[in-house]
Amino acid sequence: MKEDLATLDDTAWGAASDVVPKFISPSDPAAQWTGAHKGPAFFAYSDNYLIDVKFGVIVDVEASRSIRQAEVGAARTMIERTEERFGLKPERLVGDTAYGAAPMLNWLVEEKGIAPHIPVFDKSKRDDGTFSRSDFRYDPTSDVYHCPGGKRLGTSGTVHEGKTLLYRASKLDCDVCPLKPQCCPKEPSRKIPRDIHEHARDVARSFAGTKGFETSRRERKKIEMRFAHLKRILKLGRLRLRGPRGAQDEFVLAAAQNLRRLASLVARPPPARALCIA
Ligand code: SF4
């Protein structure tokens, strides 16, 4: 119990989310009730790896709750710890959309100077035939959006729900605009929400489709191979120890799969033998 209380403020554990889990394990309260694996739900911990994708070597390991926010917290912990302990700082971070939340991207871009090779999940696209946010051009110099009708949408600077700025068009402009049926047919004027960390999301979007991004996408397969090896060969589908410390200890031990990788990196293949048929 002491161990569970000690992790309450940790970003990979209690502080990851305010949402109360549907069920709490009486014997292992830090384990997360999850149905994320499309089968029956169960109590789980997440094993998070920081991997050097060039060589497929595990650089750090961190256990966390099995929810996205906790896994993102674990990634931040590993990046900082690796820098402190080994003086290693990546130029780019490769990850899936789970790591594409705006605060994480902002931390990578603005605080750490790491290029996020992470797909950005964009929920702003409209499918009802009206203009999406991407049809509006953002001007960072004047901090306004320009609409398809050539008008400006400004913001009062009020942050809504702690993360969103609203850029509003003038009702006078929209009232007489011939594009109104395609823009805001049910509202007096158009407003565009913008995350306070949208700049970092723009930086992440700018990598999408580049050669470097495609290379990163291919290199991600090395990460999946480590986890496949973990489950199929090392049979780590079930933990033997309980609590955050137990999960961390088992995950660190399982990272001994590094030895196999390092051996294959240093071992030289035998010289090719010529075959001859007489
Ligand atoms: S309706 Fe308003 S926001 Fe939309 S295009 Fe016209 S002027 Fe611009």
Side-chain angles (χ1 to χ4, degrees):
M1 183 53 76
K2 261 190 201 166
E3 187 191 339
D4 291 314
L5 291 174
T7 58
L8 278 179
D9 293 331
D10 195 315
T11 50
W13 299 98
S17 170
D18 296 334
V19 178
V20 179
K22 198 171 175 187
F23 300 108
I24 296 176
S25 164
S27 60
D28 195 353
Q32 180 77 35
W33 180 253
T34 177
H37 297 275
K38 291 181 184 153
F42 55 93
F43 289 107
Y45 289 98
S46 281
D47 185 0
N48 304 281
Y49 278 167
L50 186 65
I51 294 182
D52 176 338
V53 283
K54 187 170 179 193
F55 297 105
V57 171
I58 302 162
V59 182
D60 202 354
V61 185
E62 181 75 1
S64 74
R65 284 170 69 187
S66 288
I67 52 171
R68 182 177 53 83
Q69 298 94 319
E71 290 166 358
V72 170
R76 289 170 69 143
T77 301
M78 289 189 291
I79 289 169
E80 298 217 299
R81 189 163 54 202
T82 305
E83 190 175 354
E84 276 169 29
R85 290 192 182 166
F86 305 125
L88 283 176
K89 186 175 162 196
E91 290 171 3
R92 61 195 161 102
L93 185 75
V94 185
D96 60 24
T97 42
Y99 298 91
M104 176 64 174
L105 292 175
N106 186 62
W107 181 76
L108 288 171
V109 172
E110 302 293 341
E111 288 186 40
K112 304 305 287 181
I114 298 171
H117 284 204
I118 298 170
V120 179
F121 190 58
D122 198 349
K123 289 187 274 188
S124 68
K125 183 142 182 61
R126 291 187 170 188
D127 50 17
D128 60 357
T130 58
F131 295 138
S132 297
R133 190 175 61 190
S134 56
D135 295 311
F136 292 70
R137 184 175 57 81
Y138 181 66
D139 176 359
T141 316
S142 358
D143 189 24
V144 292
Y145 275 94
H146 294 275
C147 73
K151 303 297 181 193
R152 290 156 63 104
L153 287 75
T155 179
S156 65
T158 306
V159 178
H160 298 263
E161 295 173 2
K163 59 176 186 171
T164 311
L165 291 166
L166 289 178
Y167 290 73
R168 298 176 193 273
S170 153
K171 185 173 176 305
L172 294 176
D173 288 337
C174 296
D175 276 347
V176 294
C177 177
L179 296 172
K180 193 168 190 299
Q182 292 162 262
C183 188
C184 48
K186 295 177 187 163
E187 299 160 30
S189 64
R190 181 69 187 257
K191 59 177 186 282
I192 299 287
R194 180 178 171 87
D195 195 287
I196 52 173
H197 301 312
E198 196 65 29
H199 168 68
R201 286 160 59 93
D202 287 341
V203 171
R205 280 190 199 101
S206 71
F207 292 114
T210 61
K211 211 172 154 193
F213 190 88
E214 288 308 310
T215 305
S216 295
R217 217 160 59 91
R218 279 197 302 281
E219 287 174 335
R220 264 200 69 212
K221 288 182 187 145
K222 291 179 191 168
I223 304 172
E224 305 307 334
M225 281 161 63
R226 295 284 92 74
F227 284 108
H229 182 254
L230 207 58
K231 286 181 197 157
R232 290 199 199 128
I233 312 296
L234 299 182
K235 307 282 184 202
L236 201 72
R238 182 182 286 266
L239 295 173
R240 275 82 181 163
L241 302 175
R242 287 185 188 166
R245 181 49 48 198
Q248 179 72 16
D249 288 350
E250 282 205 50
F251 293 154
V252 170
L253 283 172
Q257 57 183 174
N258 250 355
L259 297 176
R260 185 171 167 269
R261 179 67 193 142
L262 291 168
S264 71
L265 284 171
V266 294
R268 300 197 185 286
R273 272 186 278 169
L275 295 177
C276 171
I277 298 174

